[in-house]
Amino acid sequence: SIGEAHSFSNLGSVYQQLGKYDDALKNYTRYLMKTRELRDRVGEGRAYGHLGGAHSALGNHMEAIKFYNCMLKIAREVGDQRGEASTCGNLGIAWQALREYRKAHEYFRLHLDMAQKLRDPVMECQALNN
């Protein structure tokens, strides 16, 4: 059920906040599997984003980028502009951590452009902060 899927996502978030990344990754993976089973593309995209965030927190930036790219593809597919914008910001951060500054700049620029297009001042500040 959708409720079960969200429970896995919530558990993953709690474990990540506690620094228990293995448990967070297990729950985010369960969330991903459940959203696929339910054919919930928006939830699937979020699951990829959560997996990317956990890997990024662990310093596994290339793994994070793989998951963020999956999230980006789905966000574009379903028309989730806010998800697309924030994922571009996350990709910029991951590429910056890998000292790939040109790629980081490209994604930071996309994040800012989308925030301005969406007229979202909070997101625009976040983009400028990167």
Side-chain angles (χ1 to χ4, degrees), residues 21-39:
Y21 295 104
D22 287 341
D23 291 325
L25 289 168
K26 285 177 193 170
N27 280 281
Y28 289 147
T29 300
R30 288 181 183 138
Y31 178 43
L32 176 62
M33 295 301 125
K34 198 67 174 165
T35 57
R36 284 182 177 165
E37 178 185 315
L38 296 168
R39 294 180 172 32

Side-chain angles (χ1 to χ4, degrees), residues 41-42 44-45 48 70-79:
R41 292 294 280 164
V42 173
E44 185 179 345
Y48 283 124
C70 291
M71 166 63 187
L72 187 60
K73 180 180 180 221
I74 291 172
R76 288 176 173 162
E77 177 186 311
V78 301

Side-chain angles (χ1 to χ4, degrees), residues 7-126:
S7 293
F8 290 132
S9 175
N10 292 338
L11 284 168
S13 294
V14 169
Y15 281 124
Q16 185 169 342
Q17 290 170 357
L18 292 171
K20 296 184 175 187
Y21 295 104
D22 287 341
D23 291 325
L25 289 168
K26 285 177 193 170
N27 280 281
Y28 289 147
T29 300
R30 288 181 183 138
Y31 178 43
L32 176 62
M33 295 301 125
K34 198 67 174 165
T35 57
R36 284 182 177 165
E37 178 185 315
L38 296 168
R39 294 180 172 32
D40 174 7
R41 292 294 280 164
V42 173
E44 185 179 345
R46 287 185 185 136
Y48 283 124
H50 292 322
L51 285 161
H55 279 288
S56 190
L58 284 167
N60 301 334
H61 300 293
M62 283 307 299
E63 195 67 18
I65 287 166
K66 290 177 193 174
F67 285 114
Y68 288 145
N69 279 326
C70 291
M71 166 63 187
L72 187 60
K73 180 180 180 221
I74 291 172
R76 288 176 173 162
E77 177 186 311
V78 301
D80 178 6
Q81 292 182 328
R82 291 185 188 289
E84 181 180 349
S86 65
T87 302
C88 285
N90 289 334
L91 279 161
I93 292 167
W95 282 115
Q96 184 177 31
L98 292 171
R99 300 181 194 274
E100 293 282 348
Y101 300 114
R102 286 180 202 203
K103 287 182 183 180
H105 180 265
E106 285 175 41
Y107 283 106
F108 287 146
R109 185 78 236 171
L110 284 170
H111 185 201
L112 178 60
D113 290 346
M114 293 191 76
Q116 290 172 335
K117 180 182 169 190
L118 292 167
R119 295 188 175 169
D120 185 329
V122 173
M123 186 182 287
E124 191 173 342
C125 285
Q126 290 168 336

